[in-house]
Amino acid sequence: MPTLSSNEIYSRQILFRGIGEEGQQKLQNSRVAIVGCGATGSVIASLLARAGVGFLRIIDRDYVEPSNLQRQILFDEDDAAKFIPKAVAAAKRLSACNSNVKVESQVADLTPHNVESLLADCTLIMDGTDNFETRYLINDFAIAKNIPWIYTAAIGSIGVTMNILPGETACMACMFPDSPNGAMETCETFGILNAAVAGIGASASSEALKFLTGAKALMRRTLLTEDVWWTDRAELPAEAQRADCRCCVRREFTHLSGENRPHIALCGSNSVQIHEKTRTIDLAELEQRLLPHGTVRCNGFALRFWRGPYQLTIFPDGRAIIKGTTDVGVARSLYARFLGA
Amino acid sequence: MQIQVRLYATFRIGRFNEQTRDYPPGTRISKVLEDLEIDESLIGTAFIDFKYATLDRELHEGARLGIFPKVGGG
């Protein structure tokens, strides 16, 4: 396939006075990590790649499923049929959109153990995750290392975003000091409009472009919420740090140290994730071992195993998602039965 | 006393965007949440007059109370 010149691709963007030739060069020299490449992450990754951000690292732990396709714009039916890792499918699609951009895929769960290696060499971190545990980890790391990040979330018809500029704005722990306690609404339980995702992802991406092109002074210092169904928009001030903020004032990085990280977490509406941090798994060997016990599919990135009403997706780093239960005990039992305790 | 309550994001669904409400002096934010049937565990942050406030804070005449949920999907 011919590679198009950057002059052709970016000509209209360079005409925009906020970017220009100089801004375009700054984008080309930029490195951005996108943590989570589901709905919001897909939009952000697509816009930043098309805009010419020189290096994108896509970090995602999940696989493409049919229910993703309504809103996760980087994926297609073939990706879902083959349960391709989202990070891999995204990198392929982004590279096809703009071969001038280097896209690195990381099929990984962001943890206190790998956060340094995955985020430290980027100048901006974009949030495409669907959970607060990862966001608090990003926040701790970003504040500790003085790296800006942009929080983005969506549910129903509502999108929310906030720029976190260390030392200049509130951080996530200022705005949301307490970790979620009990069940929260998720896209699986509450539903999600693709336009809500696209809208808020675009807002976050434009803030990223401002930062990367040196227009930091123009960045929003508010928590923005938009509702695309009820045509509603509101902003809350987010300049001031909370006086006793655990993270940016007291600098207690409890999520970064790992003391707040559970090994086991409810995942979606009917799944449990078990993460054995020290375990590595030979998927080919496991495939042979499980074949007598149920249906097994393995693609080198993950192994999926069906046993009665349960579906286990097992990753080389020892993580497993057990679908079909919210009972941690049942999940632990399945894990122990088929992977060993 | 009268306070002005402003809800954000998912808290608006089935409730209101902004409403003036009457409460006796000494009322705390948690009482307003209880009346609005908002579970405290869903609160992201609360503001009084656009400044962070804990849920046990007392409201004052004319206070502008903002309540924002944790929005986590993505």
Side-chain angles (χ1 to χ4, degrees):
Chain A
M1 190 179 294
T3 300
L4 300 176
S5 79
S6 54
N7 286 345
E8 290 174 275
I9 293 176
Y10 307 129
S11 61
R12 305 304 189 268
Q13 184 166 279
I14 289 169
L15 278 174
F16 174 65
R17 284 193 293 178
I19 303 284
E21 294 277 1
E22 188 183 340
Q24 193 63 53
Q25 191 57 50
K26 286 179 178 174
L27 291 179
Q28 181 61 41
N29 295 338
S30 297
R31 297 175 64 87
V32 175
I34 300 173
V35 185
C37 195
T40 50
S42 282
V43 172
I44 291 165
S46 179
L47 293 180
L48 296 188
R50 288 171 187 274
V53 172
F55 174 84
L56 290 174
R57 178 175 293 133
I58 310 292
I59 305 154
D60 195 287
R61 65 189 183 188
D62 287 331
Y63 289 71
V64 181
E65 296 183 14
S67 65
N68 302 151
L69 302 181
Q70 161 255 4
R71 64 197 179 284
Q72 300 188 15
I73 60 171
L74 289 175
F75 313 129
D76 60 28
E77 292 184 6
D78 191 50
D79 296 326
K82 295 175 180 167
F83 75 108
I84 302 292
K86 289 182 180 178
V88 173
K92 183 179 172 191
R93 180 63 49 86
L94 293 168
S95 296
C97 291
N98 189 350
S99 60
N100 297 292
V101 173
K102 177 170 172 47
V103 185
E104 178 186 304
S105 61
Q106 291 285 346
V107 184
D109 190 16
L110 191 76
T111 68
H113 298 276
N114 63 18
V115 66
E116 174 88 25
S117 63
L118 290 174
L119 301 185
D121 60 349
C122 291
T123 51
L124 178 68
I125 305 164
M126 300 299 287
D127 164 27
T129 70
D130 60 359
N131 67 88
F132 273 98
E133 185 187 336
T134 307
R135 291 189 178 108
Y136 283 118
L137 174 60
I138 296 170
N139 190 63
D140 273 15
F141 183 80
I143 297 298
K145 301 291 183 181
N146 200 31
I147 301 173
W149 75 283
I150 300 180
Y151 156 61
T152 310
I155 190 165
S157 56
I158 294 167
V160 178
T161 185
M162 174 178 152
N163 302 325
I164 291 132
L165 307 173
E168 295 184 38
T169 67
C171 77
M172 170 139 289
C174 294
M175 195 56 74
F176 304 139
D178 301 315
S179 297
N181 176 20
M184 282 182 64
E185 295 285 11
T186 69
C187 293
E188 290 192 40
T189 60
F190 199 80
I192 178 75
L193 274 182
N194 55 16
V197 169
I200 208 68
S203 293
S205 298
S206 67
E207 294 299 304
L209 294 186
K210 291 178 199 175
F211 176 77
L212 298 172
T213 56
K216 191 177 175 187
L218 297 179
M219 292 178 75
R220 196 174 6 79
R221 263 79 168 170
T222 60
L223 174 63
L224 167 69
T225 173
E226 296 175 330
D227 188 322
V228 297
W229 193 258
W230 296 102
T231 318
D232 188 23
R233 185 180 190 279
E235 291 181 78
L236 267 170
E239 281 192 318
Q241 295 173 313
R242 189 179 287 261
D244 60 346
C245 177
R246 166 193 64 78
C247 183
C248 67
V249 175
R250 301 205 310 262
R251 301 188 77 78
E252 295 170 5
F253 302 120
T254 55
H255 292 267
L256 190 55
S257 68
E259 63 187 85
N260 286 340
R261 184 172 179 80
H263 290 269
I264 299 173
L266 294 180
C267 178
S269 62
N270 194 29
S271 303
V272 176
Q273 174 176 273
I274 297 178
H275 197 168
E276 290 275 355
K277 294 174 193 168
T278 57
R279 175 188 296 255
T280 55
I281 291 176
D282 181 336
L283 294 182
E285 188 273 331
L286 183 63
E287 182 181 20
Q288 294 306 313
R289 199 146 54 83
L290 293 180
L291 273 172
H293 303 288
T295 306
V296 186
R297 283 175 64 195
C298 184
N299 67 358
F301 301 106
L303 178 150
R304 188 162 284 175
F305 172 58
W306 289 264
R307 171 81 174 189
Y310 306 110
Q311 172 190 294
L312 284 74
T313 305
I314 300 150
F315 304 85
D317 64 359
R319 188 166 55 89
I321 295 174
I322 294 100
K323 196 171 183 179
T325 184
T326 54
D327 185 327
V328 170
V330 170
R332 287 174 66 98
S333 171
L334 288 162
Y335 192 96
R337 281 169 63 195
F338 296 111
L339 284 96
Chain B
M1 65 180 183
Q2 289 201 320
I3 65 165
Q4 195 175 44
V5 181
R6 189 167 171 80
L7 303 178
Y8 292 89
T10 48
F11 286 159
R12 294 182 170 186
I13 298 170
R15 297 189 183 89
F16 54 84
N17 288 9
E18 195 165 334
Q19 193 175 79
T20 301
R21 298 171 69 92
D22 276 310
Y23 282 99
T27 297
R28 297 175 192 275
I29 294 175
S30 53
K31 169 62 176 163
V32 179
L33 298 179
E34 184 186 326
D35 289 352
L36 294 174
E37 297 182 344
I38 294 175
D39 187 331
E40 288 189 12
S41 70
L42 302 176
I43 300 293
T45 194
F47 285 77
I48 296 178
D49 300 332
F50 298 103
K51 292 182 179 161
Y52 301 116
T54 52
L55 302 186
D56 59 355
R57 272 276 299 277
E58 284 188 11
L59 295 156
H60 60 82
E61 169 66 34
R64 291 168 296 171
L65 172 62
I67 306 169
F68 204 102
K70 291 190 187 84
V71 179

